[in-house]
Amino acid sequence: MKLVRRISLFLVISVIMLAIGGYTALKAEQFFYPNRYQSKERVNQVKQDSESTGTEEIQIIEAAVEEKPVVTADTQYLIEEVDLTKGIVDEKNEIIPVKYIGLDREELLEELEAYDNNPPLSELERGFQTIELTAFSKDHVVVCKYYKEKEDKGFYLMVADHFIVVYEQDKKTLYMNTDILLENLKEDLQAEIMKGKYIESEEELYHFLESYSS
C-alpha cells in the first residue's frame, strides 16, 4: 500500500514539473518569436464584431503588447555601410546580435554608443567613422555605419592612467584608447612611449596593437 502511494506521489510530482517546464518553454518562445503567435481570442472577437455589424471585410490591427517595443529574435536587422569617400551605400541583412535581443530603443542606442566609442580594430582598419540607429521597431532595425578612407599619416603612442593611448600626428587629437598597460611592456619600449613613440602608418600601428593587446 505504501509503495502504491509513493508511486502515485511520484507520478503527480512528475506531471506537475512537466507542466511547469512546458509552460516556461512556451512563454520563452513567445517572447523571442512573437511574430509566430497571434491571439486567437482577439481574432474571434473581431470576427464576431464584424458579423454583428454586417461588415464583410475584416481588418485586424495588432495593438502593441508592451509599452515600449523591444528587439526580438524575429526582428529584421539591416546594416547600411556608407563609404563617404566614394559615396557608395552597401546594404546587407544580418542575424540580430544576441546581445541586442530584449533591448528597447534607448538601450540599443547605448550599445551602439559604446561600439562607436571603442570600435574593433577591424573596423578602424576599414576607416570606420561612426555608427547610428536610423530606424527602430520590434519588426525592423536599421543601423548605419560610416567609413572613410584615410591617407597615410603618423601617430604617437603615449601614456594616460598607465594605459597606452594613440594620438594623431599633432599629439593633441586622441585617435583611440587601448587596453595595453605600460608596465607590461619591455623597459626600453616603455621609455620610448613615455617620451612619445612615433608610428609612421596605420599598418604599423595596428601591427603594434595586435601584438601587445590582451
Side-chain angles (χ1 to χ4, degrees):
M1 192 66 176
K2 290 183 179 180
L3 179 60
V4 173
R5 290 180 180 177
R6 289 178 181 176
I7 294 175
S8 299
L9 180 60
F10 176 76
L11 291 176
V12 170
I13 293 175
S14 299
V15 171
I16 293 174
M17 294 300 295
L18 181 61
I20 293 175
Y23 179 77
T24 303
L26 177 60
K27 286 300 181 181
E29 187 173 0
Q30 288 177 340
F31 176 79
F32 287 111
Y33 299 94
N35 292 339
R36 295 181 182 178
Y37 298 89
Q38 289 185 344
S39 174
K40 293 183 178 180
E41 293 181 358
R42 180 173 175 78
V43 173
N44 292 334
Q45 182 63 44
V46 172
K47 288 182 177 180
Q48 292 175 2
D49 293 343
S50 176
E51 292 174 358
S52 63
T53 56
T55 305
E56 296 180 358
E57 181 179 358
I58 300 176
Q59 181 179 9
I60 301 176
I61 302 176
E62 295 184 354
V65 176
E66 303 140 345
E67 293 183 1
K68 290 184 178 181
V70 298
V71 178
T72 72
D74 281 336
T75 301
Q76 182 183 12
Y77 186 55
L78 176 66
I79 295 180
E80 297 178 342
E81 296 184 346
V82 181
D83 187 328
L84 297 173
T85 304
K86 300 178 181 178
I88 299 174
V89 180
D90 182 27
E91 296 183 351
K92 55 184 180 180
N93 284 297
E94 294 188 358
I95 298 174
I96 195 76
V98 175
K99 66 179 180 179
Y100 292 167
I101 295 177
L103 302 184
D104 59 28
R105 187 176 186 278
E106 289 72 21
E107 292 169 336
L108 180 57
L109 284 172
E110 291 179 2
E111 285 288 336
L112 295 181
E113 183 179 0
Y115 185 95
D116 190 45
N117 292 335
N118 190 24
L121 286 176
S122 59
E123 288 282 66
L124 292 175
E125 289 174 351
R126 295 180 57 195
F128 175 82
Q129 298 294 302
T130 188
I131 186 172
E132 67 175 348
L133 180 66
T134 57
F136 179 88
S137 71
K138 68 182 182 63
D139 300 316
H140 190 66
V141 168
V142 181
V143 170
C144 190
K145 294 182 178 180
Y146 296 92
Y147 300 87
K148 186 177 181 180
E149 293 182 3
K150 294 184 178 181
E151 299 178 358
D152 289 338
K153 59 181 180 180
F155 302 91
Y156 280 94
L157 300 179
M158 304 178 74
V159 182
D161 296 327
H162 304 286
F163 285 93
I164 307 302
V165 294
V166 182
Y167 279 86
E168 294 186 4
Q169 200 161 4
D170 59 7
K171 286 189 176 182
K172 296 179 180 179
T173 306
L174 179 65
Y175 182 70
M176 68 178 296
N177 294 303
T178 77
D179 59 355
I180 305 173
L181 276 170
L182 179 67
E183 62 187 34
N184 292 338
L185 305 178
K186 296 180 180 179
E187 291 185 1
D188 57 342
L189 183 55
Q190 290 185 33
E192 285 187 71
I193 294 175
M194 290 178 69
K195 294 178 181 178
K197 179 177 174 58
Y198 182 69
I199 301 292
E200 293 184 353
S201 66
E202 284 189 340
E203 183 178 357
E204 184 180 345
L205 172 63
Y206 294 132
H207 178 72
F208 174 86
L209 297 176
E210 289 174 356
S211 298
Y212 292 99
S213 295
S214 57

